[in-house]
Amino acid sequence: GAVVSQHPSWVICKSGTSVKIECRSLDFQATTMFWYRQFPKQSLMLMATSNEGSKATYEQGVEKDKFLINHASLTLSTLTVTSAHPEDSSFYICSASVNYGYTFGSGTRLTVV
Amino acid sequence: SQQGEEDPQALSIQEGENATMNCSYKTSINNLQWYRQNSGRGLVHLILIRSNEREKHSGRLRVTLDTSKKSSSLLITASRAADTASYFCATDEGSQGNLIFGKGTKLSVKP
């Protein structure tokens, strides 16, 4: 089946630094990648939708200048959390739609200290 | 994106008992899916039910869908301690083609 590889699985960074999260589609081409965020004990909320070769679409309340999304190829989408703050600490997970549904990355646990 | 509701929010049962979780959604859908998430981990796809289906089985899982009530239920029979996890329903209502997740039910199965 279609696999999305997400890295890193966890990261700890200092406040003010930037963190890049990568999602690679290993055996298929992902025209669209969805980025979700999950705060502790909560559900997944869509942050943005990235489309290969075009600007990402951000959900209401998500700062596009803070959460930079790049989808430069059909197999790679990246999310960069810029100038991270402790309140950005969360579980970030990407997802791509495939013929039979959706496939998810394994998620990235971001802790900002 | 608006989330659907799931109940209960938390469910604690003994091993061997059945666990039932419910999910409601807001608009018309093509399909509804159930996912499992162990603490701090990624999602595991459990089962998908299409809008023209009313019931579906997979092993110890039974899913029902009532499109008139915009609701679904997930039944786990003969639960095991290893079933302890959070369970989410998700629908394809998203305006971007994305899934919209329910708030989830945290299931605890005690040995």
Side-chain angles (χ1 to χ4, degrees), chain A residues 30-51:
Chain A
T31 307
T32 300
M33 193 75 77
F34 304 106
W35 288 93
Y36 294 87
R37 178 169 57 185
Q38 183 181 31
F39 290 111
K41 299 183 180 181
Q42 295 188 26
S43 187
L44 286 78
M45 292 291 290
L46 182 70
M47 297 176 63
T49 303
S50 76
N51 298 291

Side-chain angles (χ1 to χ4, degrees), chain B residues 14-63:
Chain B
Q14 293 293 134
E15 214 167 23
E17 294 180 339
N18 295 342
T20 299
M21 291 159 266
N22 302 295
C23 163
S24 63
Y25 55 93
K26 299 186 185 300
T27 65
S28 61
I29 61 172
N30 295 310
N31 62 69
L32 183 145
Q33 304 177 49
W34 284 90
Y35 288 86
R36 164 189 165 139
Q37 183 182 37
N38 285 16
S39 180
R41 307 293 288 275
L43 295 173
V44 175
H45 181 260
L46 295 177
I47 197 166
L48 178 151
I49 186 166
R50 301 191 188 284
S51 59
N52 61 353
E53 298 175 311
R54 292 296 168 260
E55 188 172 312
K56 202 163 183 179
H57 297 253
S58 176
R60 293 184 296 113
L61 305 180
R62 173 180 168 241
V63 169

Side-chain angles (χ1 to χ4, degrees), chain A residues 32 34 36 38 41-46 49 51 57 59 91 93 95 97 100-102 104-107 109, chain B residues 1 3 31 33 35 37 39-43 48 50 88 92 95-104 106:
Chain A
T32 300
F34 304 106
Y36 294 87
Q38 183 181 31
K41 299 183 180 181
Q42 295 188 26
S43 187
L44 286 78
M45 292 291 290
L46 182 70
T49 303
N51 298 291
T57 302
E59 295 299 299
F91 189 67
I93 190 165
S95 173
S97 60
Y100 54 85
Y102 298 84
F104 287 83
S106 54
R109 171 75 57 193
Chain B
S1 55
Q3 289 184 297
N31 62 69
Q33 304 177 49
Y35 288 86
Q37 183 182 37
S39 180
R41 307 293 288 275
L43 295 173
L48 178 151
R50 301 191 188 284
F88 296 92
D92 60 346
S95 59
Q96 303 297 325
N98 57 290
L99 291 175
I100 293 182
F101 287 84
K103 294 181 179 178
K106 186 171 184 178

Side-chain angles (χ1 to χ4, degrees), chain A residues 73-94:
Chain A
S73 78
L74 288 171
T75 58
L76 176 64
S77 178
T78 62
L79 167 66
T80 302
V81 183
T82 63
S83 186
H85 292 150
E87 54 264 33
D88 297 325
S89 297
S90 186
F91 189 67
Y92 294 85
I93 190 165
C94 59

